[in-house]
Amino acid sequence: MNFQILVTNRQQTFTVSQGELLLHAMEKACQQAIKVGCRGGGCGLCKVKILQGHYQTKRMSKAHISAAEQASGFALACRVFPESDLVIESDHFDEHTNQPTQVKQANLVK
């Protein structure tokens, strides 16, 4: 069984097979509707909002998807298994809050 995925803010569609991860299916279809990072849930780059449809997710990092966000339909595309046709929005990664901050080492003078 295949499901149709509509990415509303990119006006793109692609198909995902039952049991296939959303991000993997998009890449297999040679689409660029969702940003791709680590492909394992660690970077948060593929954060999407699912507007319509049924799906299951693998475990997601609370650093990228809070419980409140998950309840509102946010998910990491690399962790989503569609169970029906989906309507989603991509580009929900906030580089200001979701990127690891780099700590600068102070030069110590002895």
Side-chain angles (χ1 to χ4, degrees):
M1 180 177 279
N2 291 328
F3 305 116
Q4 196 72 18
I5 309 302
L6 169 62
V7 185
T8 60
N9 60 313
R10 295 286 189 102
Q11 292 81 45
Q12 292 184 33
T13 60
F14 58 93
T15 302
V16 59
S17 299
Q18 186 171 6
E20 186 175 24
L21 287 165
L22 180 63
L23 191 67
H24 180 257
M26 183 213 57
E27 288 184 300
K28 195 166 78 173
C30 298
Q31 296 285 334
Q32 295 180 347
I34 302 167
K35 293 179 183 176
V36 179
C38 70
R39 295 176 180 84
C43 72
L45 200 61
C46 65
K47 187 174 183 179
V48 297
K49 183 168 187 180
I50 301 172
L51 304 172
Q52 293 177 0
H54 300 282
Y55 61 96
Q56 292 292 322
T57 63
K58 288 183 176 183
R59 192 169 168 195
M60 294 183 288
S61 169
K62 301 254 187 270
H64 301 297
I65 304 290
S66 69
E69 285 178 316
Q70 189 171 358
S72 297
F74 286 95
L76 300 178
C78 66
R79 312 300 278 171
V80 171
F81 292 102
E83 295 182 334
S84 71
D85 293 346
L86 297 180
V87 177
I88 67 171
E89 286 179 342
S90 62
D91 303 327
H92 283 279
F93 176 74
D94 183 350
E95 64 186 64
H96 299 294
T97 60
N98 284 340
Q99 273 190 347
T101 56
Q102 294 181 352
V103 177
K104 293 183 180 180
Q105 296 280 335
N107 290 331
L108 299 177
V109 178
K110 290 185 179 181

